[in-house]
Amino acid sequence: MADELDLLRAADPAPADGPHFGDGPLDHNAERHLVRLLHDAGSGRRTWARPRLLWGPAAAAVVTATTLTVLFGGPSGAPAVAAPRPLTVRAHSTAVPLAQVAELAAVAATDGSPALRRGTHVQSWSLAMSDDRPPVTLPEERVVRWRADGTHTEVVVATDPDHAGRPVLTGTGRVEDGQVLSRRTFPPMWGDAPPLSTPPHDPAKLRAYLTDLIHSGTLTASELLDATAELLDNWTLGARETAALAELFADAKGLRPAGQVTDRLGRTGQAYVLAEGTGGRRMLILDPATGAVLGLETTFTRDDPAYGVRAGDVMEYRAWLR
């Protein structure tokens, strides 16, 4: 994409005030591994360290504060634009079964093109991720590109979740849509465990990879979606990996075909929904011709006046680009 290339061309791979090897801040992968190591050392158990949406009295209070800030933030009391509108399934559209998508993905992967690529290009937003962090998560677009020597660069840009070019709400004020928030470069990194290790394109091996990625022994449908998000935040899948993942989706219990949807980037996809017992509904969006994951969205399924949220409000979303 032209915009992506412009961002990368403008990035300074070695800023004077940037991190230098062990003296700089950890990147997102290193932070996750450090938290995991510290937790494992203290408890003897392995758990997934990626922050997740929390639903309890304390977390609900965070959601309340966030919702009020998102809807009424700013000195004038005018509605902020950080809260995205939920995606809607097109009325009377045909719902394509996951088994059919898996078959089409396998055909599309016959020649192995496109190939697997390390790195990601993702847009994301979330309402609240944990109790010990600021409640508003900035809508952002993140481009991560790796080099052959194991180094990688990361460019993060503020983005209006509805792509109207309006200002974006942050915890300390507003920034302009498209404003570069950070440009960073990281020293060489290698690893033999997910997500640093290369994801396989055999469905059984990919299931094991994803199970190890989130430290789950079962890989339920919900855990599969968690693992998919983590995978795509680190890798841009090739056709063969995409086909293997589509097969895992087809085997998952609870993912229901819902019909056609237009995602946040204007792409047409098929929606598959999963109801969760925590008051949320997850929507997986796939390209029906190739099985490629276009996005994931989680919304509230019921009103909760005490906390200022309504059914259909977006909890979080991700949209991946190639």
Side-chain angles (χ1 to χ4, degrees), residues 38-58:
L38 292 174
H39 181 85
D40 292 349
S43 67
R45 295 184 296 109
R46 300 179 71 197
T47 61
W48 180 29
R50 177 176 177 265
R52 301 189 62 181
L53 289 161
L54 304 174
W55 303 108

Side-chain angles (χ1 to χ4, degrees), residues 1-319:
M1 296 178 63
D3 292 344
E4 176 183 333
L5 291 175
D6 290 339
L7 288 176
L8 293 176
R9 291 190 185 104
D12 181 358
D17 59 347
H20 297 282
F21 298 94
D23 297 329
L26 299 176
D27 75 345
H28 56 282
N29 285 329
E31 287 177 353
R32 183 177 58 252
H33 287 301
L34 177 60
V35 171
R36 183 186 305 158
L37 288 171
L38 292 174
H39 181 85
D40 292 349
S43 67
R45 295 184 296 109
R46 300 179 71 197
T47 61
W48 180 29
R50 177 176 177 265
R52 301 189 62 181
L53 289 161
L54 304 174
W55 303 108
V62 171
V63 173
T64 305
T66 304
T67 304
L68 293 175
T69 304
V70 167
L71 296 179
F72 305 107
S76 66
V81 299
R85 294 187 294 266
L87 299 177
T88 57
V89 175
R90 193 169 301 169
H92 310 299
S93 60
T94 301
V96 180
L98 277 166
Q100 181 177 334
V101 173
E103 291 174 0
L104 293 173
V107 172
T110 302
D111 64 356
S113 179
L116 175 71
R117 187 177 72 223
R118 196 173 191 180
T120 190
H121 184 173
V122 57
Q123 289 192 5
S124 63
W125 180 86
S126 62
L127 182 62
M129 291 300 287
S130 70
D131 287 339
D132 59 352
R133 294 176 183 270
V136 174
T137 298
L138 180 69
E140 66 178 32
E141 185 166 355
R142 183 165 53 92
V143 180
V144 180
R145 293 292 177 256
W146 286 74
R147 302 187 184 95
D149 62 1
T151 62
H152 69 279
T153 59
E154 178 186 73
V155 179
V156 180
V157 179
T159 149
D160 171 9
D162 286 322
H163 298 279
R166 297 168 296 189
V168 178
L169 180 69
T170 71
T172 57
R174 293 171 186 260
V175 295
E176 292 302 313
D177 181 35
Q179 179 175 329
V180 176
L181 302 176
S182 67
R183 296 187 180 102
R184 298 190 292 176
T185 186
F186 298 93
M189 296 176 61
W190 292 276
D192 58 1
L196 289 177
S197 60
T198 303
H201 53 75
D202 173 81
K205 292 179 180 178
L206 182 59
R207 176 182 291 276
Y209 180 100
L210 296 177
T211 300
D212 187 36
L213 179 59
I214 63 167
H215 311 294
S216 166
T218 56
L219 206 66
T220 63
S222 180
E223 291 168 335
L224 176 58
L225 296 183
D226 290 338
T228 295
E230 187 78 356
L231 174 64
L232 297 180
D233 279 350
N234 289 275
W235 293 86
T236 300
L237 299 188
R240 290 173 178 168
E241 293 78 18
T242 293
L245 185 59
E247 187 169 327
L248 298 186
F249 290 143
D251 291 338
K253 306 297 182 184
L255 278 170
R256 179 179 61 82
Q260 195 175 79
V261 66
T262 300
D263 81 348
R264 301 187 187 284
L265 302 178
R267 302 171 297 185
T268 299
Q270 280 287 320
Y272 302 87
V273 297
L274 175 69
E276 296 188 313
T278 56
R281 186 193 74 166
R282 307 181 78 175
M283 178 186 288
L284 169 69
I285 305 161
L286 301 180
D287 181 332
T290 66
V293 178
L294 303 181
L296 274 171
E297 179 178 89
T298 305
T299 56
F300 291 91
T301 56
R302 54 177 177 263
D303 295 351
D304 196 332
Y307 299 124
V309 295
R310 298 180 179 178
D313 283 352
V314 177
M315 294 183 194
E316 64 173 343
Y317 80 79
R318 284 182 177 84

